[in-house]
Each structure stands twice: as structure tokens, then as C-alpha cells.
Amino acid sequence: MKDVFCIGELLIDFVAEKQGSDLSKAMVFTKKPGGAPANVACAIAKLGGNGKFVGSVGNDPFGNFLLSVLQENQVDIAHAQQCKTFTTLAFVSLSDDGERDFVFSRGADKQLVYDPELKKGIKDNLLHLGAATALLGGALEKAYGRYFFDALTQGAFISFDPNFRGDLWKGEEDCFVKKCMPFIEKAHLGKFSLEEAQLLSGKKELSECCAFLHDVGTKVVTITLGAEGTLVSTAKGRHTIPSIPVKPIDTTGAGDAFIGCLLYQIADLKDPYEVLENEALLLPMIAKANTAGALTTTGYGAIPSLPVASAVFDR
């Protein structure tokens, strides 16, 4: 099985459970590990794959806690870094239907320093780029871009998730769209929410969103639609793959579980690029990834709720 390198943030989610989706009214918070790329690495590792996290946390109790969680979940943290800046925090409030309100307090995640030794590991493997905080400037954005270039020159299979967070880009949405375009242009696989697909394409209809993203360059477009499943679009056509019925209590990490499960399956192929042309191979993978995403919504917190292989593949 090939390695999957996940680049981006690892942070603390302080979650206000069952207190509504308005953070101004939340009173009690529970500490949870989070960060979209770290969630993806954990999703892959919990399924039995080779999830490798590349990101920065503080040299503080929260950073130590986060790295220990990744290790406990069998994620390779050899390329994770710790710095003097305080670990990044996110405050999340959840309504009864699992919908969220976010506020970020950024810290150590933006201090990631590029490691040239990683270029050898990326060669002929998979690189997943989660962009929640990675395009906000600083050392992280520089490292992110260099790892992206390494993937392009080393024959890596590239996955991109814009992870748009409105709180981080208020009034700067156009800048976010512009910064995402080079990654959309070169991605073999793109994972988008409906909001992200519409924002990035400037279109409303799903068919037009897909057409735009393909025209820019993404080979396989997936648009997650919550309980409705996932729209997958390739050069050969578009299909909506249903999910399984669940009662969601926290949607945090559902998209990360989806893309993690999909990348786990792709990494197990002798030739990952086969999914770009073979819908008979890809579509069942999407169905399993939907299952992983749905199961994740049935527990609180992303990483603790990510399913193991038997829960997804033995159904």
C-alpha cells in the first residue's frame, strides 16, 4: 500500500455540544483533537493505511496531546514539527442537527517549515492538501506550495480539499478562490462541499460547477452533499452515489472521513491513476467513502468518531 502524506493543520477543537450553533451563547466546551489534514491522516490510518501527517503544533501541553492522539491512531508523525508558538485552537458550536459555527485562534499551524527530505518520500506516493489554514500566508503557505511542487515533479497522486472556513476569509473570498486555482488545476482528485464548489466556480448548478472544475484541470471531482450522498464527476460522466441513513449528532470531520477512506482505497491500488479512467472501479469506492463519512457523524469529535475498516467494509 502506498503512503498518503497529509499537509496542513493539527489543532484543538473546543466543542460546545448541544448548545446550539451560535457560539456567543455557548458556555461549556470539551477539548477534542482536530484539523482537517490530520483528520484525513487518522481516517487512513484507522482503516489500516499509511497515513502520514505533516504540520506544526506548539511545544506545549496541547501540542503534546495532539501528537499523542495521532500516534495512538497509528499515524506516522515523523514529519510533524513543534515550535514555540502556541498550538492553534478552534472553537466549535454544534446545533441539534450537527451543524457547526467556527471561530479560529491561529497559532503554531502557520509555522510549518519546508523539509527537503520529504521530497523522496512523496515520490510515487499520494499527497493530500487540505487548505483550511494553508493559504493564509507565512511559513505554512510557503511549505505547502513547495510540497505541491514536489508532488508535481515526483509523480505523486494529488488530492486537494479547499476546506473553506468563512471565519478565516471574511471579505477575502476572492483571494481564497484565486489561491485555490493552481491546486484545482493540477489535482487528480478534488473533494468539495456544495458551498465550496459554488464559491470556487462562481456557478450555482452542480453540473456547471463540475464543468468549471474540470475545465480548470481537476480530473475527478467529488462534491459531498450530506445525507444525499456524493456527486462524482469524471471525464466519462456524473453520478450521485447515495450514502447510508444515520442520525447525525456532529458533522465535524465527515468530509475528512470521506476523503480519507477514498484515498485509503486508492493507495491500495497498484496504479492509483486507474481511478481517473475506470468508473467501475471508482464508484464503489465512493460508496464506501460515503459510509465512512456518515458513520463519523454519529459521534462527537472528528478523530474519535472515525470508523475502523470492519465498520466500513464489512457492511
Side-chain angles (χ1 to χ4, degrees):
M1 180 172 285
K2 295 182 181 296
D3 297 333
V4 185
F5 292 86
C6 302
I7 316 291
E9 80 279 3
L10 172 61
L11 49 80
I12 298 289
D13 281 329
F14 280 108
V15 182
E17 300 170 2
K18 296 184 178 180
Q19 297 178 61
S21 59
D22 184 350
L23 270 173
S24 69
K25 298 177 181 179
M27 298 297 292
V28 180
F29 295 83
T30 302
K31 180 183 71 175
K32 301 284 187 180
N39 293 342
V40 175
C42 277
I44 293 164
K46 287 185 76 170
L47 291 170
N50 301 325
K52 297 176 179 289
F53 174 72
V54 183
S56 178
V57 297
N59 189 11
D60 54 49
F62 287 145
N64 294 336
F65 162 72
L66 290 169
L67 293 179
S68 70
V69 168
L70 295 193
Q71 285 185 303
E72 289 166 6
N73 285 278
Q74 308 305 312
V75 174
D76 185 332
I77 60 168
H79 299 285
Q81 300 172 12
Q82 286 188 279
C83 65
K84 295 180 181 179
T85 305
F86 198 73
T87 297
T88 297
L89 310 176
F91 295 87
V92 188
S93 190
L94 300 170
S95 61
D96 289 340
D97 62 1
E99 288 307 309
R100 304 163 292 171
D101 185 20
F102 277 97
V103 171
F104 285 85
S105 178
R106 290 200 71 203
D109 77 280
K110 62 185 175 182
Q111 302 298 333
L112 181 68
V113 177
Y114 173 74
D115 179 3
E117 290 299 313
L118 198 58
K119 182 176 181 178
K120 300 174 185 176
I122 290 174
K123 182 176 175 60
D124 297 328
N125 282 300
L126 286 75
L127 183 75
H128 175 69
L129 296 159
T133 67
L135 304 179
L136 291 166
L140 171 59
E141 185 168 5
K142 293 178 181 178
Y144 195 79
R146 293 188 69 178
Y147 288 131
F148 176 53
F149 181 77
D150 287 345
L152 292 172
T153 59
Q154 298 302 307
F157 184 98
I158 299 172
S159 165
F160 177 65
D161 184 345
N163 289 130
F164 176 70
R165 301 289 183 261
D167 180 69
L168 296 176
W169 293 95
K170 287 179 180 177
E172 300 290 337
E173 290 84 359
D174 289 346
C175 179
F176 174 79
V177 171
K178 182 178 179 180
K179 287 190 173 189
C180 283
M181 286 303 149
F183 302 96
I184 294 172
E185 179 183 356
K186 298 298 184 181
H188 300 105
L189 171 64
K191 182 267 170 194
F192 308 91
S193 68
L194 176 59
E195 177 192 16
E196 290 164 348
Q198 292 174 332
L199 173 65
L200 292 164
S201 67
K203 312 293 183 182
K204 290 297 181 182
E205 296 295 327
L206 282 173
S207 60
E208 294 179 345
C209 293
C210 291
F212 176 90
L213 295 167
H214 284 309
D215 286 344
V216 173
T218 300
K219 301 296 187 295
V220 173
V221 172
T222 63
I223 302 177
T224 53
L225 304 172
E228 297 178 22
T230 299
L231 176 69
V232 55
S233 181
T234 72
K236 295 186 177 181
R238 287 188 297 273
H239 311 268
T240 299
I241 309 301
S243 188
I244 61 171
V246 295
K247 184 177 181 180
I249 61 174
D250 179 4
T251 60
T252 306
D256 303 327
F258 167 85
I259 192 64
C261 183
L262 183 54
L263 289 170
Y264 163 78
Q265 295 173 86
I266 293 173
D268 201 29
L269 298 173
K270 183 177 181 180
D271 178 12
Y273 296 96
E274 189 178 354
V275 297
L276 306 182
E277 303 291 337
N278 188 343
E279 286 191 343
L281 178 65
L282 175 64
L283 299 186
M285 290 182 172
I286 299 290
K288 292 299 183 184
N290 282 347
T291 298
L295 293 174
T296 302
T297 70
T298 62
Y300 284 114
I303 291 175
S305 303
L306 294 167
V308 296
S310 58
V312 176
F313 297 102
D314 294 348
R315 297 181 68 86

